[in-house]
Amino acid sequence: MKSICVMGTGYAGLVTGTCLADFGNTVICVDIDEERVAQLQAGQVPIYEPGLQEVLERNARLGRLSFSAELEPAIRSSEIVFICVGTPSLPSGAVDMSFVHAAAESIGGYMDTYKVVVNKSTVPTGTGDRVATIINSKCNHDNFDVVSNPEFLREGSAIDDFMNPDRVVIGASSERAMEAILDIYRPLYKNDVPMVLTDVESAEMIKYASNAFLAAKISFINEIACICEAYGADVTEVARGIGLDDRIGPHNLSAGPGYGGSCFPKDVAALAATAASGGVDVPLIKSIAQTNARQKQEMVKKLRGLVGTFSGKTISVLGLSFKANTDDLRESPAIGLVETLMAEGASIRAYDPASMEHAQRRFPDLICCPDPYDAATGADGLALMTEWNEFRNMDMPRIRELMTQPRLLDCRNLYDPHEMQELGFAYASVGRVELPMGETTPRPSWKSHPLRGLRS
Ligand code: NAD
């Protein structure tokens, strides 16, 4: 069992620290944000992440997990220091490395005995060397190793992703450091989780390449959705048809309003910027973000197509977080839509199961509603933006009655176009046919064929 310091208590750091404590290690999580630390010390989890509160409370109670705003004692008392601070985008798309560099300076300043410094933040290739240089410049000895151990957890299922990952990637330049980190992950490889043991640079690149590939799948299916709309095909059928090919796989093939969140947008931009500073032309990687930006605009166009001008209209927005099971609003397609609607004079009735408080702080004029039905009341149009489970089976006849105009933009393809037509909605979705309102279009007979199977 190791003594571990985790620097940064955001999504990545808090989950990492909590899960490593659950593996039996002694973990101290530190943050420069004193308010956040005080909250954590009082047992309040500052982010919405299913399951996190229970695991955190259990490990804090057992004395294996603690929180502090004092970096020095936390770093000095730990054998292993994880850097989990933010790596946001600069306006150029390159990574703002100031938080990582500041963390490395602190580690260097307080380095006394041998330590393994682990970069878990998503960082460009070459950061391992840079962090080592900064630490060296502060402590004037080389009694440490820098390891890359990128994190692949997804917000909304972060605990499960950490405890049951598809793989663990460790990039190290010394056997001593590799063994120390392997020791931490023993509970996972004992459970047959594949371990990718490699050099630091490759580990750093694996993270960016993974996120760019996943984002590319989303942009790809969104472009296919646009072609489907032009020719009357159904993107959900197409996604199933291609996703059943093992070489492609079914994940990240849901057409929608474009990707968001704290990772894909910045990581795709960072990979393109890294390529550019290495003199490498990457047109495919650059186009991922361009397609995503266009897809967000497409949703605005679709809503305009349903409700006309936004000025003076009341629009209901269901779902504000960038995906279900998180309260994270960063780069959320719903937030972009809210900004456009507000700029054009619409009044917005919004509901999200987890992020209302954040949203209200960001948009004081947003009308925050206690449930989807209240949000739909008096609306001239409703935009369904996030795939929360509670939006999948709403009482749609009731929604229709509550709305002033029954116009529904379903950005997550949660509802059936025929059913919505039968209910009297003007209904638009992504990559599927738009059926004329006020008519009944016969359903294709194959839709109820017993061999059709479940959607993958
Ligand atoms: P975040 O912005 O939510 O949290 C970062 C935290 O680090 C903040 O609380 C900040 O106060 C703290 N911090 C900054 N400088 C510090 C310092 N010197 N010492 C101690 N604390 C400091 O970020 P996040 O979403 O947790 O992401 C962190 C890193 O993990 C990023 O590189 C991100 O790309 C990566 N990552 C994130 C996710 C995710 O789902 N959010 C998943 C995988 C990887």
Side-chain angles (χ1 to χ4, degrees):
M1 293 307 125
K2 303 281 188 204
S3 53
I4 297 172
C5 168
V6 175
M7 299 182 78
T9 60
Y11 289 84
L14 200 50
V15 172
T16 298
T18 302
C19 291
L20 291 180
D22 211 50
F23 290 171
N25 300 292
T26 305
V27 180
I28 178 157
C29 294
V30 291
D31 204 296
I32 49 172
D33 181 340
E34 290 181 9
E35 203 181 311
R36 198 173 182 86
V37 170
Q39 256 183 307
L40 286 161
Q41 285 170 334
Q44 294 159 11
V45 177
I47 54 175
Y48 176 88
E49 186 56 53
L52 178 58
Q53 180 92 39
E54 293 93 299
V55 191
L56 188 145
E57 272 173 12
R58 182 173 66 241
N59 285 283
R61 205 171 43 245
L62 291 169
R64 292 196 296 239
L65 179 62
S66 59
F67 301 95
S68 172
E70 288 179 56
L71 305 191
E72 180 171 356
I75 292 170
R76 284 196 196 282
S77 63
S78 301
E79 304 161 75
I80 298 179
V81 183
F82 278 81
I83 299 179
C84 297
V85 301
T87 47
S89 283
L90 291 167
S92 64
V95 184
D96 176 353
M97 293 296 291
S98 57
F99 298 106
V100 173
H101 292 168
E105 283 187 19
S106 303
I107 296 168
Y110 306 135
M111 175 86 70
D112 36 21
T113 51
Y114 174 79
K115 292 186 196 304
V116 182
V117 178
V118 187
N119 259 329
K120 211 177 224 330
S121 295
T122 302
V123 289
T125 305
T127 299
D129 277 350
R130 181 85 187 102
V131 164
T133 305
I134 293 172
I135 295 174
N136 251 325
S137 73
K138 288 282 160 186
C139 68
N140 280 326
H141 67 76
D142 56 4
N143 197 15
F144 66 92
D145 280 302
V146 178
V147 167
S148 169
N149 171 220
E151 183 49 56
F152 299 94
L153 62 82
R154 292 163 298 176
E155 289 176 21
S157 54
I159 296 286
D160 192 50
D161 288 345
F162 196 97
M163 301 287 198
N164 304 292
D166 292 335
R167 78 303 207 186
V168 171
V169 175
I170 306 172
S173 51
S174 86
E175 206 172 309
R176 183 177 183 185
M178 183 64 92
E179 287 304 325
I181 304 307
L182 273 175
D183 195 40
I184 290 180
Y185 286 110
R186 187 185 300 269
L188 297 185
Y189 68 73
K190 286 279 181 198
N191 265 344
D192 280 343
V193 171
M195 308 295 286
V196 179
L197 309 186
T198 183
D199 56 275
V200 175
E201 290 77 10
S202 302
E204 290 167 342
M205 184 54 81
I206 286 169
K207 174 64 189 178
Y208 276 119
S210 297
N211 272 2
F213 192 80
L214 293 169
K217 278 183 97 175
I218 296 174
S219 279
F220 177 82
I221 201 67
N222 283 337
E223 285 193 5
I224 295 292
C226 295
I227 309 173
C228 285
E229 285 174 14
Y231 287 93
D234 181 329
V235 74
T236 59
E237 305 293 333
V238 175
R240 178 165 190 249
I242 63 176
L244 287 168
D245 184 327
D246 281 346
R247 293 167 302 174
I248 297 173
H251 303 295
N252 282 38
L253 282 182
S254 298
Y259 60 77
S262 66
C263 292
F264 286 179
K266 81 172 172 60
D267 292 350
V268 170
L271 185 57
T274 303
S277 58
V280 184
D281 189 26
V282 286
L284 177 65
I285 291 169
K286 280 195 252 176
S287 69
I288 300 169
Q290 287 159 5
T291 297
N292 196 54
R294 193 190 67 180
Q295 190 67 5
K296 291 181 178 180
Q297 287 312 311
E298 280 298 312
M299 300 304 109
V300 175
K301 257 198 246 169
K302 277 174 184 283
L303 188 59
R304 218 187 288 285
L306 282 173
V307 305
T309 55
F310 296 143
S311 175
K313 300 268 169 58
T314 298
I315 305 295
S316 168
V317 176
L318 296 189
L320 296 167
S321 55
F322 79 96
K323 66 171 184 176
N325 296 324
T326 179
D327 59 354
D328 200 339
L329 301 178
R330 289 179 279 187
E331 303 277 337
S332 171
I335 295 304
L337 180 74
V338 165
E339 282 168 352
T340 304
L341 288 169
M342 285 192 161
E344 296 189 22
S347 119
I348 302 172
R349 301 179 66 79
Y351 169 70
D352 184 282
S355 62
M356 297 310 296
E357 257 179 60
H358 300 315
Q360 187 77 84
R361 268 201 301 275
R362 183 147 168 192
F363 303 106
D365 291 341
L366 194 71
I367 303 166
C368 291
C369 303
D371 60 53
Y373 303 100
D374 194 62
T377 302
D380 299 296
L382 186 152
L384 212 169
M385 297 304 294
T386 315
E387 73 286 22
W388 285 93
N389 270 343
E390 69 177 88
F391 298 154
R392 289 176 189 274
N393 195 20
M394 294 186 293
D395 181 345
M396 295 311 285
R398 184 175 165 207
I399 297 262
R400 187 202 53 214
E401 290 313 315
L402 291 168
M403 293 178 73
T404 303
Q405 299 289 338
R407 298 160 177 156
L408 171 57
L409 170 62
D410 179 359
C411 293
R412 300 289 180 167
N413 292 341
L414 298 187
Y415 287 90
D416 178 67
H418 288 88
E419 277 177 27
M420 294 305 105
Q421 184 193 42
E422 282 157 22
L423 285 175
F425 279 100
Y427 175 81
S429 55
V430 184
R432 303 189 299 175
V433 284
E434 267 182 48
L435 304 177
M437 191 188 175
E439 296 177 25
T440 308
T441 310
R443 238 172 255 267
S445 59
W446 51 262
K447 281 220 168 189
S448 49
H449 194 286
L451 281 181
R452 207 170 114 76
L454 296 167
R455 277 188 58 195
S456 53

